[in-house]
Amino acid sequence: MPVHLLCEVLAYTLGYRYYQRLRTRTTDPISSEHRLWIFVGCSVGALLGSRLLGLLEHPEVLLHPPGGALYYFTNKTIVGGFLGGLIGVELTKKRLGITASSGDLMVFPLLLGLSIGRLGCHLSGLEDGTYGTATALPWGIDFGDGIPRHPTNLYEILFLGVLALLLWLQERRRPLPNGRRFQLFLAAYLLFRLLAEFIKPTPPLPGLGLTAIQCACVAGLGYYVWVWWRRDRAMAALPLE
């Protein structure tokens, strides 16, 4: 059974159905037509970002790819997809003149879809390539090569569940400002991936000490630090009433 493909289809299907349900229960400031264009921009950006970062993970094989030219079209990463999708969405919104957040409504569907997708990665074992390094911890899992490894996909599913709970509890106490839910989600995910990559066998880029995914995470986190710094400066400049 192609368990990874099955979980991937379930992730897209259930995530989108959940998004549709949330949208029917929420006053969406973005029209359906504009939402469609935002999805297009997100999809194009995510596809390009995912493929590009996937290729940069192993630059040493770019000139002689294993399996031939098909290699250039099969590598993909979630981090690259998120960052590429973010760029695609922001460019599309700027073109359409949209200032309202388009990502807040997607956060919980994304958390659901990611969790299902990571379950597929875990069940695929060594074939998926997302397992962790060897460990002597009692919860290490042998994926078939006789070596107990960090179950990094299970770590990620646990993290996503905790993040969903924290966001839900925060918004029960006090609604977050426009766009903040997605910012917190993506910044938290990038921080998690930055740390989780240290227990994965992917070699760091020469001279940097970090993998390509970690470099992308640092860039994404730097972007949000800049966004929040600008916001704080703008708020501090407002006259006191």
Side-chain angles (χ1 to χ4, degrees):
M1 177 183 295
V3 64
H4 193 287
L5 178 60
L6 175 62
C7 286
E8 194 169 343
V9 172
L10 281 175
Y12 286 125
T13 303
L14 296 180
Y16 184 69
R17 292 292 295 174
Y18 186 23
Y19 159 76
Q20 286 184 313
R21 182 181 178 187
L22 290 177
R23 191 165 186 242
T24 59
R25 298 165 54 188
T26 306
T27 302
D28 191 354
I30 301 176
S31 69
S32 296
E33 181 182 354
H34 282 174
R35 276 280 176 191
L36 179 60
W37 281 112
I38 288 172
F39 273 124
V40 171
C42 178
S43 299
V44 173
L47 177 64
L48 295 176
S50 176
R51 294 288 188 253
L52 177 60
L53 188 57
L55 291 174
L56 292 177
E57 276 196 280
H58 301 281
E60 70 280 2
V61 301
L62 288 180
L63 293 180
H64 304 285
L70 187 62
Y71 175 81
Y72 299 120
F73 303 97
T74 54
N75 271 21
K76 57 184 179 180
T77 67
I78 290 178
V79 170
F82 273 144
L83 295 177
L86 177 64
I87 294 171
V89 167
E90 293 303 320
L91 291 175
T92 303
K93 287 170 61 178
K94 184 175 182 180
R95 174 77 175 178
L96 298 174
I98 298 172
T99 57
S101 170
S102 59
D104 284 351
L105 202 57
M106 297 294 300
V107 168
F108 289 107
L110 283 171
L111 287 166
L112 174 63
L114 279 171
S115 299
I116 297 172
R118 282 309 185 194
L119 179 60
C121 294
H122 175 74
L123 295 176
S124 297
L126 294 174
E127 180 184 346
D128 188 69
T130 56
Y131 50 82
T133 53
T135 180
L137 293 171
W139 54 80
I141 294 179
D142 178 2
F143 289 99
D145 61 350
I147 302 174
R149 299 178 180 275
H150 284 287
T152 49
N153 291 305
L154 297 185
Y155 295 167
E156 186 165 328
I157 292 172
L158 177 61
F159 164 77
L160 293 170
V162 171
L163 179 58
L165 178 61
L166 291 176
L167 288 173
W168 180 76
L169 290 174
Q170 171 61 40
E171 296 199 77
R172 278 180 62 89
R173 291 177 51 198
R174 183 177 61 187
L176 293 169
N178 178 53
R180 189 69 55 79
R181 184 196 298 171
F182 183 81
Q183 292 174 355
L184 291 174
F185 155 71
L186 187 50
Y189 184 76
L190 292 175
L191 179 59
F192 169 82
R193 287 299 303 270
L194 174 64
L195 299 176
E197 291 299 308
F198 284 113
I199 55 172
K200 290 187 178 182
T202 306
L205 295 176
L208 294 179
L210 298 174
T211 66
I213 287 179
Q214 287 177 311
C215 291
C217 289
V218 170
L221 288 168
Y223 166 74
Y224 277 124
V225 169
W226 175 74
V227 167
W228 292 331
W229 174 76
R230 285 189 61 192
R231 181 205 66 206
D232 290 343
R233 282 194 62 187
M235 291 182 63
L238 293 175
L240 297 176
E241 295 184 359

